Amino acid sequence: MTDFDDDAAGSIASAALAVLREQGPLSLEEWATHLEKYGSATEVADVLEYLSEPMLGYLPSGKYVALDTVLEGLVFTHRLSALEIASDILDASPDLEPILAFGDGDGDGDGEDGAIRVIAAEEAAVERGAAHFRSRRVVMLPAGTLGECAEGDLVGLAVEDGRLAFRLVEIEDEPDLVPSLGELFEEDGVEALDSVCWQLLLEDPSLFTVPIAPLSELFEAAGYEHERELLARRGFDFDAYDLQIRTALVASTYDLTHDEAVSAVAFVDLADRGYTDAVIADFDIADWAHRHVSAAPDSFVSLADPGAAVAVFDLGFRNQDPVTDAILEALAAELAERGPRSVRAAAHWLAGKAVDRLGRVLEAEAHYEKALLAESGWGPALFELAQFASDRGDATRALSLLGRIDGGSEENLYAVLQDFVPVDHPELGRNDKCWCGSGRKYKVCHLGKADESVESDGRWLYKKACLFAFASEYADIVTGLDDLENDSLSEDELIAATIFDGSALDVALFEGGIFADFLARRGELLPESEVVTAAQWLGTRRSVYEVVETSDAGVVLLDRGSEESVTVAHSLDGTPGDVISARVLTVPTGALVVGVVVMASESQAAKVLEVLASEELDAEEVVRASRGGADHSTDDR
């Protein structure tokens, strides 16, 4: 994509929609030609191809159209069900699919302002306690809208002044769509349902100007059927099409061969079926896994590739769930025992990931070791064992394991470990008394081990927790908060920032609950002194601090919430008078300051302190209040 700055890209987007409103529908090339004052047609086309705009529609003909000019004043009908009447929520697909872009998804509350909202079905279920909608998106009407309606009544949604308006309607026309649809579809073709409707009304502007039968009834009468916002002739195999599309997407996303993608999708689908069965009725998961894997043990042979195994975990098991993890453990264990030898490393790695999340970290470690027995260079298992070695405080072993991975030196773990590599004392022999004064021999005390001060100052423990937070099951929490914190940064600032900077990762750890999981799942690996320290950190709140004094002995901070002073032993960039938002953690050597954000103003500091004083802290609210300060790095983050 051509590298336009944000302002230029925004100008192109605004002008592009204006052109479509006046000249559309247009092909990409025609569209770009109208905007050549912003660059060559090729350069502008690169921007237009990635343009994200609710009012932008793409037609089966390959052209683009401005939806607000095409759909204004039109009405689409829908026949009511009892569930919809009870909840004042309408299933969107297929009848209302073409006009969903006009729903006010950001409306406040439960529609009290009269706005008609288009939202995810899951969100609607939470807001109104209604579930079992067929559509992924639904239309939420203001409460009470359907109170006088009966099952089977016809209602309409019209586009008026760019928003949706509700109407009670009667059919005024019964168009025959057979000829028009026949021209749009190849024999085995499938199209996006909304795009088909936009194309139809462009070819016949009289369509939908008055209430007609719902799209579902018109399509059925014409010999077409719909599924997942798609439309095709009756008898089309939507399941096979969906499998084909998903397999191609997985192959592209994870850089897999077709066979590897097929195996990955098949494994995930099998696990999904097992999950559904387990939710509906309790059954023996191990026996279920045995029956399915033993019936076709070679089905998943292509999972031997590390990329394919990682894709399986990411696609099917990213979200932590005890039932899902139990199914993964059972399937992977069967695959390790009965599958081809080539897939054993992958199977043990998958089993290890499952039992780790189920709270059995030592079993997970055993699975990873078995993966290396099957294939000594299997990267994902090496990486997990490197993290476990780091958690135990063995930086030397962790770095050695990373060194066996192609690209291992580029991992965050590798960079972190550089600060905690043991310092050798060549002046001492292996049998000499250790330099630390313990009275033990150097070889059994500190040879090849980090200085005890590394553990006592808390920095490594905090970094271990940060690295744990990068696990896939926490990705949405961490990246969501990081994006929220950085959404106001310039492009240069964004490039310079890392996820270790600022408050987002720290808030994800504590207010997001990840640190508690870290202690629960990694406690068996951590040195005993770190377990004690970590337990003390639980419940430690962020606050707003003023830098009172700096010296070689440390930095004295005044907590503006409690009005207590604390001395931070390690360096913190700043001068007396600076105000920061941070978390101060107690460590055996004193205190450790983490997640530092410098306050840009006194008003911001007051706002952050107000948010942090709340009894129940919301992670997003904490990050939102803290962002906007200048960037000040600290050695302790």
Side-chain angles (χ1 to χ4, degrees):
M1 180 175 171
T2 304
D3 187 20
F4 287 95
D5 61 33
D6 291 342
D7 290 339
S11 297
I12 293 174
S14 179
L17 283 174
V19 166
L20 271 188
R21 292 183 179 112
E22 295 175 4
Q23 306 290 335
L26 297 170
S27 68
L28 185 63
E29 294 74 18
E30 293 168 341
W31 196 13
T33 300
H34 285 282
L35 298 161
E36 284 190 315
K37 71 176 184 178
Y38 294 99
S40 70
T42 301
E43 292 172 333
V44 173
D46 285 343
V47 176
L48 297 178
E49 196 169 7
Y50 292 94
L51 187 61
S52 177
E53 164 59 49
M55 290 300 119
L56 181 61
Y58 184 72
L59 303 174
S61 64
K63 294 191 174 186
Y64 294 83
V65 65
L67 297 180
D68 47 1
T69 60
V70 173
L71 295 168
E72 180 66 32
L74 303 184
V75 58
F76 290 76
T77 63
H78 177 73
R79 209 169 292 282
L80 293 175
S81 69
L83 172 63
E84 291 171 321
I85 295 170
S87 62
D88 289 300
I89 297 173
L90 305 179
D91 256 314
S93 184
D95 298 337
L96 307 173
E97 195 74 36
I99 53 174
L100 295 185
F102 296 90
D104 184 7
D106 296 323
D108 294 329
D110 197 23
E112 297 91 342
D113 60 354
I116 296 174
R117 301 167 58 201
V118 175
I119 60 178
E122 294 84 356
E123 184 180 345
V126 171
E127 290 195 26
R128 296 237 174 119
H132 309 298
F133 291 102
R134 298 186 303 272
S135 307
R136 288 184 287 192
R137 290 190 295 171
V138 296
V139 178
M140 178 178 282
L141 304 172
T145 300
L146 304 177
E148 300 300 320
C149 295
E151 187 173 1
D153 280 356
L154 198 66
V155 296
L157 285 185
V159 179
E160 296 179 355
D161 297 324
R163 300 190 74 178
L164 295 180
F166 175 80
R167 295 180 183 176
L168 293 173
V169 297
E170 293 182 358
I171 294 176
E172 298 182 25
D173 190 16
E174 297 185 10
D176 179 9
L177 298 184
V178 173
S180 298
L181 289 172
E183 293 179 5
L184 288 178
F185 282 86
E186 297 178 359
E187 188 64 30
D188 295 321
V190 61
E191 298 285 353
L193 188 151
D194 52 6
S195 296
V196 168
C197 293
W198 301 332
Q199 187 78 53
L200 289 174
L201 63 89
L202 283 169
E203 295 176 3
D204 182 359
S206 67
L207 281 175
F208 311 112
T209 55
V210 297
I212 61 178
L215 287 172
S216 55
E217 297 174 15
L218 292 174
F219 292 147
E220 184 178 3
Y224 289 77
E225 57 186 340
H226 64 91
E227 188 172 326
R228 295 184 294 273
E229 296 90 43
L230 297 174
L231 187 68
R233 285 188 171 89
R234 187 174 294 126
F236 183 81
D237 192 338
F238 283 101
D239 289 337
Y241 177 76
D242 179 64
L243 181 60
Q244 177 185 348
I245 294 299
R246 287 193 296 129
T247 301
L249 181 61
V250 169
S252 173
T253 302
Y254 294 94
D255 194 23
L256 305 180
T257 67
H258 175 73
D259 288 346
E260 290 166 352
V262 168
S263 287
V265 170
F267 191 96
V268 170
D269 285 351
L270 176 58
D272 284 343
R273 292 197 297 274
Y275 181 86
T276 301
D277 292 344
V279 170
I280 294 174
D282 188 23
F283 68 98
D284 188 329
I285 292 177
D287 178 68
W288 171 87
H290 171 70
R291 285 186 286 107
H292 282 82
V293 173
S294 62
D298 295 330
S299 299
F300 306 111
V301 64
S302 294
L303 295 184
D305 178 79
V310 170
V312 162
F313 187 78
D314 194 35
L315 291 168
F317 307 95
R318 177 171 176 166
N319 295 321
Q320 195 169 3
D321 179 275
V323 176
T324 301
D325 291 332
I327 288 172
L328 175 59
E329 178 190 5
L331 286 174
E334 281 294 321
L335 194 58
E337 182 176 350
R338 305 182 189 282
R341 179 180 295 274
S342 62
V343 82
R344 287 181 185 172
H348 278 297
W349 177 76
L350 288 168
K353 296 291 285 185
V355 297
D356 179 13
R357 300 205 303 193
L358 289 168
R360 291 142 49 196
V361 67
L362 297 183
E363 287 184 46
E365 187 173 39
H367 274 296
Y368 299 144
E369 295 285 6
K370 290 177 181 178
L372 296 187
L373 288 176
E375 187 174 336
S376 61
W378 213 77
L382 287 167
F383 179 77
E384 299 294 342
L385 289 172
Q387 289 217 124
F388 286 1
S390 173
D391 289 339
R392 282 194 165 97
D394 192 343
T396 301
R397 172 168 164 75
L399 286 169
S400 174
L401 290 163
L402 287 176
R404 293 164 58 184
I405 304 173
D406 185 22
S409 61
E410 299 173 9
E411 297 286 348
N412 282 321
L413 176 59
Y414 184 91
V416 166
L417 289 171
Q418 301 309 305
D419 290 335
F420 308 111
V421 177
V423 177
D424 288 334
H425 288 261
E427 73 280 6
L428 295 177
R430 291 171 55 84
N431 292 314
D432 291 341
K433 288 187 177 181
C434 189
W435 56 267
C436 72
S438 66
R440 293 177 294 175
K441 292 181 179 180
Y442 179 43
K443 66 181 180 182
V444 298
C445 190
H446 268 98
L447 179 61
K449 300 177 184 177
D451 188 331
E452 287 179 354
S453 63
V454 169
E455 291 181 7
S456 62
D457 67 22
R459 288 178 300 144
W460 197 357
L461 172 60
Y462 187 77
K463 290 288 190 178
K464 292 174 186 179
C466 289
L467 293 167
F468 175 82
F470 294 162
S472 61
E473 57 263 39
Y474 305 114
D476 290 343
I477 299 174
V478 174
T479 57
L481 293 176
D482 189 57
D483 289 344
L484 182 62
E485 181 173 56
N486 293 323
D487 71 349
S488 62
L489 294 184
S490 68
E491 186 174 351
D492 289 343
E493 289 172 328
L494 194 59
I495 292 172
T498 74
I499 201 164
F500 287 106
D501 295 318
S503 65
L505 182 54
D506 178 74
V507 172
L509 282 174
F510 289 89
E511 282 72 33
I514 300 175
F515 190 83
D517 286 355
F518 165 71
L519 181 56
R521 287 174 49 186
R522 293 292 177 266
E524 289 185 85
L525 302 181
L526 296 173
E528 184 176 349
S529 60
E530 288 191 344
V531 173
V532 173
T533 299
Q536 294 173 342
W537 288 358
L538 288 174
T540 301
R541 286 198 165 209
R542 294 179 65 84
S543 191
V544 173
Y545 297 89
E546 180 179 345
V547 177
V548 176
E549 180 184 344
T550 61
S551 67
D552 292 340
V555 179
V556 178
L557 301 175
L558 174 66
D559 187 335
R560 287 193 170 181
S562 66
E563 298 186 353
E564 296 179 354
S565 296
V566 62
T567 299
V568 182
H570 292 281
S571 64
L572 170 71
D573 290 344
T575 58
D578 284 350
V579 181
I580 64 173
S581 169
R583 194 182 316 272
V584 176
L585 301 170
T586 301
V587 297
T589 57
L592 176 71
V593 60
V594 294
V596 176
V597 178
V598 176
M599 299 290 93
S601 65
E602 284 294 335
S603 61
Q604 184 194 14
K607 174 61 177 175
V608 172
L609 196 58
E610 179 185 351
V611 169
L612 294 176
S614 301
E615 186 173 343
E616 294 292 333
L617 291 181
D618 177 77
E620 289 190 3
E621 189 176 2
V622 172
V623 171
R624 192 176 289 110
S626 298
R627 70 184 179 187
D631 173 51
H632 278 55
S633 60
T634 168
D635 292 345
D636 301 332
R637 281 183 295 191

